[in-house]
Amino acid sequence: GIQVEQSPPDLILQEGANSTLRCNFSDSVNNLQWFHQNPWGQLINLFYIPSGTKQNGRLSATTVATERYSLLYISSSQTTDSGVYFCAVQNLGWGKLQFGAGTQVVVTP
Amino acid sequence: GAVVSQHPSRVICKSGTSVKIECRSLDFQATTMFWYRQFPKQSLMLMATSNEGSKATYEQGVEKDKFLINHASLTLSTLTVTSAHPEDSSFYICSAPGGNTGELFFGEGSRLTVL
């Protein structure tokens, strides 16, 4: 199956700081999603982004499909941004959404 | 976005009993749903693919007799953990593709504790 690697595994930020999370994957994909898992466990859809760039408020994401990576940018971080950020990918051959190990983000006041 | 709902959100049961978890697509139809399991501090692992009107497809290492999946309608899939034991304690979360892009939407998750 497809391999998904996320970095860094942990990130501690001061409120107001900017950060970049990275997702590398081992094969071509037809689906790539970024999620935020809140403290109650719910997965919140952030971006559906198999290629290109998208922005939603303080968050933006870029996927460079030809180089097999995606980046999630968090700007002006807030304490509510704390949680685990997952990248998940799917390709036609594998057909299933494969999750990375996640990045644990802690934003301190 | 599409809405997927799970019930119950939390369940505590005694060892040896069976527990049923429901997953509903509220504003769309889903011929396929996916069941994931998540242990503390770990990522999500796909357990099985639920197919409306046919048998579920289980991932390697997942016991089909332990985790019974039924997808009887286009809006409902159920996961039954049979004869639950403490090692089955985990966070179970379902998902379904909504819209025409294949984007997956997840339910709230169900936290199972087996005493």
Side-chain angles (χ1 to χ4, degrees):
Chain A
I2 193 168
Q3 306 301 312
V4 185
E5 293 183 359
Q6 289 187 245
S7 60
D10 300 279
L11 192 57
I12 300 175
L13 300 169
Q14 195 152 21
E15 204 167 21
N18 303 328
S19 64
T20 301
L21 282 60
R22 187 177 180 103
C23 173
N24 292 333
F25 43 95
S26 61
D27 204 345
S28 58
V29 298
N30 63 312
N31 179 4
L32 188 147
Q33 293 183 240
W34 283 97
F35 299 93
H36 176 212
Q37 188 167 39
N38 67 22
W40 298 270
Q42 185 165 9
L43 282 173
I44 309 299
N45 286 43
L46 298 178
F47 294 102
Y48 169 79
I49 187 165
S51 64
T53 297
K54 290 185 178 179
Q55 180 158 7
N56 184 1
R58 295 181 296 102
L59 301 181
S60 63
T62 295
T63 297
V64 183
T66 53
E67 297 187 22
R68 299 182 183 170
Y69 73 88
S70 183
L71 302 174
L72 177 69
Y73 305 98
I74 305 174
S75 65
S76 303
S77 58
Q78 300 176 359
T79 55
T80 52
D81 294 332
S82 296
V84 183
Y85 289 79
F86 286 106
C87 167
V89 304
Q90 178 181 32
N91 68 3
L92 289 174
W94 183 238
K96 304 162 189 176
L97 198 65
Q98 179 73 32
F99 280 76
T103 293
Q104 173 81 57
V105 174
V106 175
V107 182
T108 60
Chain B
V3 179
V4 177
S5 180
Q6 262 182 263
H7 177 82
S9 57
R10 287 182 177 272
V11 57
I12 300 173
C13 69
K14 291 183 178 179
S15 188
T17 61
S18 295
V19 173
K20 181 184 286 187
I21 301 169
E22 294 186 346
C23 177
R24 295 181 185 274
S25 55
L26 296 188
D27 52 357
F28 66 102
Q29 294 182 333
T31 56
T32 302
M33 291 184 175
F34 302 93
W35 287 95
Y36 288 81
R37 182 175 184 176
Q38 185 180 32
F39 290 107
K41 306 291 186 184
Q42 294 189 22
S43 187
L44 282 75
M45 297 298 294
L46 181 65
M47 297 175 63
T49 302
S50 172
N51 304 299
E52 188 268 334
S54 66
K55 291 183 179 180
T57 304
Y58 292 82
E59 294 302 299
Q60 191 172 9
V62 177
E63 300 176 59
K64 58 182 68 175
D65 295 331
K66 159 68 76 174
F67 300 101
L68 299 180
I69 291 173
N70 184 275
H71 194 150
S73 80
L74 288 171
T75 59
L76 174 64
S77 174
T78 60
L79 169 69
T80 301
V81 183
T82 63
S83 186
H85 291 284
E87 58 266 30
D88 298 324
S89 298
S90 189
F91 188 64
Y92 294 88
I93 188 165
C94 70
S95 70
N100 56 9
T101 62
E103 181 178 2
L104 282 191
F105 294 87
F106 283 78
E108 306 93 327
S110 301
R111 195 166 302 279
L112 170 64
T113 302
V114 184
L115 302 177

